Amino acid sequence: MRRTRNLIVTAAALGILGGSVLVAKGLLADSGTGGSGGGALAGVFQEEPKASATPTGPTPEELAAIERAKRVKALDAALKKYATGKPEFSVAVFDRKTGETYAYRGDEKYETASVVKVQVLACLLLTAQDDDRKLTSSEKALADKMIRYSDNDATTSLYGKVGKIGGLTACNKRLGLTQTKVSGSWGLTRTTVKDQVVLLSQLVDEKSELSEASREYAHKLMSTVASDQDWGVPAAAQEGEDATVKNGWLQRSTESNLWIINTVGQITDDDTDVSIAVLSHTNSTMPAGQSLVEKVAKLTRTHLKY
């Protein structure tokens, strides 16, 4: 009977609730409908479940997993309710302190608009590292314009410098992006929120292919964007926390002149270390899209309690 009970507790602890899966350290929590957004539950019962520390209840680890599953279920419900009648959106949150990723419609692909500029910056830094050199003054000036002011001409110049489709695709592969397809028109690159939080995590991970100096430089640019572009992810930050961001916005003639509105960034302090990506399209106006992505980011904080 003990083995049966532990299997049941373990299944509950993994958060098989309301169509959501939350698995720590390597498996992925993913929710929502559409496309291939459902999470996989591969190999969950490959190991014999371990006995509880006491015969009267689950271990502290099992209790923590159950609590996380409750938070995921609550966030699923909140996002699904908010999504009713709203433009399509996806969101992912990677928590470095727990190693867990939450994703809602995580495999849905969206055009990046200007959030692709983070990929271009990362590739520029990798290219310089490969050549065992620092960025030139010209490259720094272009990178500053690209990230802090979202300058398109600067981006086009650096996109060519890193090798356009082939170069950026190769860099993405090194950084662990598997669901991103680079476009010759860089702003039409297609990606997922899952890939975006992978990229963001590479900007802070000590094991990243990006050096410490490169990571610090990326942080410097993304934490000092122009005031008119300081929206999106930072809306979920609390007073005293550090927030980085790169936003993307594009009115698409192919979608009845509706708006792509995207935001990616990080929130950190002594107790918090998360990467967040919200991608959306078919927004009626830019301000409406900004409100949507900020609301979604805030909902993740409310329910995941990071």
Side-chain angles (χ1 to χ4, degrees), residues 52-122:
S52 297
T54 68
T56 57
T59 66
E61 292 77 12
E62 289 170 338
L63 289 172
I66 291 170
E67 176 60 28
R68 289 192 295 270
K70 289 179 180 178
R71 294 177 182 181
V72 165
K73 185 177 180 181
L75 179 54
D76 289 346
L79 290 172
K80 289 173 183 176
K81 180 179 180 180
Y82 181 68
T84 303
K86 295 291 192 300
E88 185 179 76
F89 66 83
S90 294
V91 59
V93 178
F94 172 65
D95 190 331
R96 290 187 69 223
K97 289 189 176 293
T98 64
E100 295 168 348
T101 296
Y102 171 89
Y104 176 83
R105 295 176 57 85
D107 296 309
E108 293 296 319
K109 292 187 176 180
Y110 299 78
E111 291 170 334
T112 57
S114 286
V115 297
V116 74
K117 294 170 183 178
V118 180
Q119 293 177 48
V120 175
L121 174 64

Side-chain angles (χ1 to χ4, degrees), residues 237-259:
Q238 298 176 355
E239 185 176 354
E241 293 180 331
D242 180 69
T244 66
V245 70
K246 182 68 194 85
N247 296 313
W249 58 96
L250 179 65
Q251 192 172 22
R252 287 290 277 138
S253 59
T254 57
E255 295 185 354
S256 302
N257 290 318
L258 298 175
W259 286 80

Side-chain angles (χ1 to χ4, degrees), residues 153-272:
D153 290 338
T155 306
T156 298
S157 179
L158 291 176
Y159 180 60
K161 195 172 191 61
V162 301
K164 297 186 178 180
I165 294 177
L168 194 57
T169 298
C171 288
N172 286 344
K173 184 177 180 179
R174 289 173 64 181
L175 293 169
L177 280 66
T178 62
Q179 298 179 312
T180 298
K181 184 175 178 58
V182 181
S183 171
S185 299
W186 47 261
L188 301 185
T189 292
R190 293 180 65 79
T191 193
T192 66
V193 288
K194 286 182 182 177
D195 257 13
Q196 288 302 298
V197 294
V198 168
L199 174 62
L200 290 165
S201 70
Q202 291 296 304
L203 299 180
V204 293
D205 192 342
E206 294 84 355
K207 296 180 180 179
S208 170
E209 289 215 25
L210 291 166
S211 68
E212 182 178 3
S214 291
R215 298 194 306 269
E216 288 178 352
Y217 182 67
H219 178 273
K220 175 184 176 182
L221 294 183
M222 293 179 66
S223 62
T224 57
V225 297
S227 59
D228 63 333
Q229 298 180 27
D230 191 18
W231 48 269
V233 168
Q238 298 176 355
E239 185 176 354
E241 293 180 331
D242 180 69
T244 66
V245 70
K246 182 68 194 85
N247 296 313
W249 58 96
L250 179 65
Q251 192 172 22
R252 287 290 277 138
S253 59
T254 57
E255 295 185 354
S256 302
N257 290 318
L258 298 175
W259 286 80
I260 294 169
I261 303 293
N262 301 326
T263 186
V264 301
Q266 295 166 317
I267 299 174
T268 57
D269 71 356
D270 292 341
D271 301 316
T272 303

